[in-house]
């Protein structure tokens, strides 16, 4: 079955710097790759997603890239702000179920 | 957000007692999911439903059962709660592509 690995598990950056979180997946049938942000005590919130027919997608300060050949995708956050501090999860969907990575705790220091 | 509510939001129970968690959605989404979230494991799928009375197992289904008698409600039952089922439980619904999460239920089994 599908396996999603996510790195790093923790990431600390200075406010204004960029942050990059990387995920790899194993099942070439995966065709949808969402990213979620989870704040303390809340449910995961979908922040951006990408489908397998697209290589890159951007939404303001957030971008996601997908390399189908290498089976990896990444989340890029530019000009980080303290409110970006949260746990971020990647996921891949080979069938009708999402398979999640284990999460990255991002801390943005002012 | 997809109009998802979960009840109760917090529950403390004793080992061996039955527990039912409820997920209610207002968006008429066909697919619904139950996950548990534990430190170091990310989000793991317990059971999911692809329609009324149509359910299937996820990767950690042992000790759990589900029922879906109406499109809007998806129930998760722990027939005899164990301490290993102490966790945060999230319900999610899915459109054609996007999956949206509820606020979660924190369950403690003593």
């Amino acid at each position: 079955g599908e396996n999603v690995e996510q790195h790093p598990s923790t990431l600390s950056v200075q406010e204004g710097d960029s942050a990059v979180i990387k995920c790899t997946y194993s099942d070439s049938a995966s065709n949808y790759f969402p990213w979620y942000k989870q704040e303390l005590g809340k449910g995961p919130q979908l922040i951006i997603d990408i489908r397998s027919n697209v290589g890159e997608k951007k939404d303001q300060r957030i971008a996601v890239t997908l390399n189908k050949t290498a089976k990896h995708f990444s989340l890029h956050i530019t000009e980080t702000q303290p409110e970006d501090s949260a746990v971020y999860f990647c996921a891949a969907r080979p069938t009708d179920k999402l398979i999640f990575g284990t999460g990255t705790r991002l801390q943005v220091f002012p | 957000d997809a109009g998802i509510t979960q009840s109760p939001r917090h529950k403390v129970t004793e080992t061996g007692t039955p527990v039912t968690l409820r997920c209610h959605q207002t968006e008429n989404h066909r697919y619904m999911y139950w996950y548990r979230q534990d430190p170091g494991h990310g989000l793991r799928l317990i059971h999911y439903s692809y329609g009324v009375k149509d359910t299937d197992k996820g990767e950690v289904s042992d000790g759990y059962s589900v029922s879906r008698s109406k499109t809007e409600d998806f129930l998760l039952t722990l027939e005899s709660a164990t301490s290993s089922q102490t966790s945060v439980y999230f319900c999610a619904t899915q459109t054609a592509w996007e999956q949206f999460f509820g606020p979660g239920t924190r369950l403690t089994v003593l």
Side-chain angles (χ1 to χ4, degrees):
Chain A
E2 175 65 283
N3 181 51
V4 177
E5 294 190 357
Q6 182 171 348
H7 299 280
S9 57
T10 61
L11 179 60
S12 296
V13 299
Q14 200 78 30
E15 182 178 0
D17 288 349
S18 296
V20 180
I21 302 170
K22 298 181 179 181
C23 289
T24 61
Y25 62 99
S26 59
D27 192 336
S28 57
S30 288
N31 61 358
Y32 175 66
F33 307 90
W35 286 88
Y36 289 85
K37 175 184 181 182
Q38 187 176 25
E39 297 176 335
L40 194 62
K42 296 185 178 181
Q45 178 187 7
L46 179 66
I47 57 172
I48 195 167
D49 56 12
I50 192 167
R51 303 181 191 180
S52 59
N53 59 346
V54 176
E56 183 174 357
K57 184 177 179 180
K58 189 174 181 180
D59 182 3
Q60 299 182 332
R61 296 186 297 108
I62 294 174
V64 57
T65 59
L66 171 65
N67 183 326
K68 288 174 56 180
T69 302
K71 295 195 184 72
H72 65 72
F73 55 113
S74 300
L75 178 70
H76 304 253
I77 305 174
T78 59
E79 301 172 21
T80 54
Q81 302 168 3
E83 52 264 39
D84 294 329
S85 296
V87 178
Y88 291 81
F89 292 96
C90 65
R93 189 167 75 200
T95 58
D96 51 5
K97 297 176 285 187
L98 284 177
I99 308 299
F100 286 85
T102 51
T104 296
R105 182 173 300 279
L106 173 64
Q107 291 182 300
V108 180
F109 293 97
Chain B
D1 290 344
I4 303 169
T5 56
Q6 293 185 233
S7 59
R9 293 294 314 280
H10 302 271
K11 186 171 182 65
V12 179
T13 191
E14 294 187 349
T15 298
T17 60
V19 176
T20 295
L21 308 182
R22 180 179 183 244
C23 177
H24 180 79
Q25 59 137 333
T26 59
E27 299 294 321
N28 202 36
H29 291 161
R30 177 184 171 195
Y31 282 83
M32 297 186 75
Y33 302 81
W34 276 108
Y35 295 89
R36 60 177 290 173
Q37 185 174 42
D38 305 288
H41 290 279
L43 290 151
R44 293 182 293 173
L45 182 65
I46 305 171
H47 282 280
Y48 68 105
S49 169
Y50 44 95
V52 173
K53 299 192 189 311
D54 291 323
T55 64
D56 205 349
K57 296 179 180 180
E59 63 176 301
V60 290
S61 59
D62 287 349
Y64 302 94
S65 62
V66 290
S67 65
R68 190 160 178 211
S69 58
K70 298 185 292 184
T71 298
E72 57 266 36
D73 290 325
F74 193 30
L75 303 180
L76 177 70
T77 298
L78 291 66
E79 300 291 347
S80 178
T82 67
S83 58
S84 65
Q85 293 175 312
T86 291
S87 186
V88 180
Y89 291 85
F90 288 101
C91 172
T93 70
Q94 184 171 297
T95 64
W97 289 96
E98 300 159 328
Q99 197 167 113
F100 301 98
F101 284 81
T105 294
R106 182 173 295 277
L107 176 67
T108 302
V109 183
L110 301 176

